[in-house]
Amino acid sequence: MAGKILLGFIFLCGIAVLRTSAHTHHLHSANKEREADGARSPRDHGHFADGEHHSEFDHEAILGSVKDAEEYDQLPASEAKRRLEILLVKMDRNNDKNIDRKELHSWILRSFRMLSEEESTERLEEVDDDEDGYVTWSEYISETYGINDPEDQELLGKTDQEEEQKLLREDRELFNAADKNIDGRLDEKEFLAFTHPEEHPDMLPVILRQTLEDKDKNGDGLIDFQEYIGEKGKEQDREWLLTEKDKFDNDHDVDRNGILDRNEILSWIVPSNEDIAEDEVDHLFAAADDDADDVLSFLEVLDHHDVFVGSEATDYGDHLHNLDRFEDEL
């Protein structure tokens, strides 16, 4: 009897591990993640990594929620298809039983906004120590930097902590910019702008100013190639320099004048969700448009449901909640 109980316990533990590991979330706050050149990481930075395709991004781009994507991973295929068809009806703006590129693009952009809101809400709950629905600067630096009193900030002034001091200073600037009513605390909407400043036009001037302070050594408001590669460029080999020069010339310097102006700097530093959504549309169409007619029929999507949503053929798992969230206008 004891052996059966032990085996049952082990089985339940195995299910718990599977449930927590089935869907790996790779969409993290862009505010804290940067590319090697200093740009903010794009939302799809983990879509293709180390030569592998990670379908989590596709599922989250359709569902607009990490939590919902995790729940979908536990649904039987038949239930996943049923629920996916409900979403297709909402996605199909002109009610023609097909999803065109524009409809899918709009839906994915909406999902990106929902993902940012979900990420920000989770972060606010972590930081909001007194659970009053607001985040003060003291709460933020306590949870993020371990700074519990003003004297602790002096520790970050040491030469071996210059990077931490720089991040703290930049965070303070972003916090103040997000605090629209200047009451010293951030509500849910303001905290969203703070955690995802690259998605809020009012925050872009702060991002630009911080980038210029970091890169623009001669103070002319522009960034040339030497400023672009920075001090680390002196330590790199020829192949690295040629790669970066190609990126500078062909990806960032749109007018080909050898320097990056303010608009070009923002295009480099701030990833475009519009472009990322367009790339995702291309990716999903390539995977599911079987008859190559440049629209996705409901049947094509459902036949490739595993491309759009995760599904494990299991008999356990919670069902999705709040499907009415998708009733909102795109």
Side-chain angles (χ1 to χ4, degrees), residues 31-40 137 140 144-145 147 153-173 210-211 213-215 217 231-232:
N31 189 31
K32 293 305 175 190
E33 294 193 9
R34 303 292 177 87
E35 300 291 279
D37 61 5
R40 280 170 159 74
W137 177 245
Y140 176 73
T144 306
Y145 295 94
I147 296 175
Q153 294 193 48
E154 298 178 4
L155 300 177
L156 293 180
K158 295 182 179 180
T159 56
D160 63 343
Q161 291 185 302
E162 292 180 357
E163 183 62 24
E164 288 84 352
Q165 187 68 42
K166 176 176 175 290
L167 291 173
L168 182 67
R169 183 175 64 252
E170 291 180 349
D171 277 351
R172 184 55 167 170
E173 292 172 351
Q210 291 178 346
T211 302
E213 288 176 357
D214 184 40
K215 295 280 190 179
K217 300 306 180 184
E231 288 296 317
K232 70 177 182 179

Side-chain angles (χ1 to χ4, degrees), residues 29-90:
S29 172
N31 189 31
K32 293 305 175 190
E33 294 193 9
R34 303 292 177 87
E35 300 291 279
D37 61 5
R40 280 170 159 74
S41 293
R43 182 164 281 285
D44 64 345
H45 68 95
H47 191 192
F48 294 91
D50 300 323
E52 295 185 9
H53 170 243
H54 297 274
S55 60
E56 293 91 348
F57 174 79
D58 302 317
H59 303 164
E60 292 166 16
I62 293 299
L63 295 171
S65 168
V66 175
K67 294 177 181 177
D68 284 359
E70 289 171 343
E71 289 187 64
Y72 255 106
D73 282 345
Q74 310 305 322
L75 293 174
S78 58
E79 179 66 9
K81 288 183 179 182
R82 188 187 73 82
R83 292 175 181 271
L84 177 57
E85 188 167 13
I86 294 175
L87 299 185
L88 290 176
V89 172
K90 302 176 188 302

Side-chain angles (χ1 to χ4, degrees), residues 51-306:
E52 295 185 9
H53 170 243
H54 297 274
S55 60
E56 293 91 348
F57 174 79
D58 302 317
H59 303 164
E60 292 166 16
I62 293 299
L63 295 171
S65 168
V66 175
K67 294 177 181 177
D68 284 359
E70 289 171 343
E71 289 187 64
Y72 255 106
D73 282 345
Q74 310 305 322
L75 293 174
S78 58
E79 179 66 9
K81 288 183 179 182
R82 188 187 73 82
R83 292 175 181 271
L84 177 57
E85 188 167 13
I86 294 175
L87 299 185
L88 290 176
V89 172
K90 302 176 188 302
M91 197 184 305
D92 179 20
R93 301 292 298 281
N94 60 6
N95 300 314
D96 66 350
K97 301 298 183 182
N98 292 302
I99 307 300
D100 60 33
R101 287 179 176 271
K102 184 177 180 181
E103 289 170 332
L104 185 56
H105 187 269
S106 297
W107 184 268
I108 290 171
L109 283 177
R110 184 176 184 278
S111 290
F112 288 170
R113 292 193 296 271
M114 293 169 65
L115 284 163
S116 294
E117 291 169 1
E118 182 180 75
E119 293 164 0
S120 182
T121 298
E122 290 179 356
R123 182 72 178 126
L124 186 147
E125 292 173 355
E126 293 172 356
V127 178
D128 181 18
D129 187 54
D130 60 10
E131 300 181 353
D132 66 349
Y134 297 88
V135 170
T136 64
W137 177 245
S138 295
E139 285 176 323
Y140 176 73
I141 61 176
S142 175
E143 198 277 341
T144 306
Y145 295 94
I147 296 175
N148 297 311
D149 61 66
E151 292 184 0
D152 288 341
Q153 294 193 48
E154 298 178 4
L155 300 177
L156 293 180
K158 295 182 179 180
T159 56
D160 63 343
Q161 291 185 302
E162 292 180 357
E163 183 62 24
E164 288 84 352
Q165 187 68 42
K166 176 176 175 290
L167 291 173
L168 182 67
R169 183 175 64 252
E170 291 180 349
D171 277 351
R172 184 55 167 170
E173 292 172 351
L174 290 168
F175 187 98
N176 290 341
D179 183 17
K180 295 300 183 183
N181 59 3
I182 319 177
D183 66 350
R185 59 183 189 172
L186 304 183
D187 60 23
E188 188 172 359
K189 183 177 179 180
E190 291 171 329
F191 192 70
L192 176 62
F194 173 60
T195 56
H196 295 76
E198 70 286 348
E199 298 179 5
H200 293 76
D202 291 348
M203 302 293 285
L204 295 184
V206 181
I207 293 176
L208 177 62
R209 184 172 66 251
Q210 291 178 346
T211 302
L212 288 172
E213 288 176 357
D214 184 40
K215 295 280 190 179
D216 180 24
K217 300 306 180 184
N218 61 9
D220 64 354
L222 305 167
I223 294 179
D224 59 31
F225 179 66
Q226 291 302 319
E227 291 171 326
Y228 170 78
I229 60 176
E231 288 296 317
K232 70 177 182 179
K234 299 176 181 178
E235 305 170 357
Q236 304 298 326
D237 57 25
R238 176 179 172 79
E239 182 179 354
W240 185 90
L241 290 170
L242 289 174
T243 299
E244 293 303 311
K245 188 66 166 67
D246 180 70
K247 287 167 56 178
F248 182 90
D249 292 340
N250 298 309
D251 295 342
H252 307 315
D253 185 15
V254 178
D255 59 10
R256 302 292 192 271
N257 67 347
I259 53 176
L260 305 184
D261 61 25
R262 296 185 173 222
N263 289 333
E264 290 169 331
I265 293 169
L266 280 176
S267 294
W268 155 43
I269 291 295
V270 179
S272 168
N273 278 347
E274 290 276 351
D275 292 343
I276 295 168
E278 185 174 341
D279 290 342
E280 178 64 0
V281 168
D282 290 341
H283 172 66
L284 293 175
F285 264 74
D289 186 15
D290 294 332
D291 59 9
D293 64 349
D294 212 37
V295 294
L296 297 177
S297 67
F298 282 18
L299 182 59
E300 284 176 324
V301 174
L302 295 175
D303 281 347
H304 298 277
H305 73 279
D306 57 321

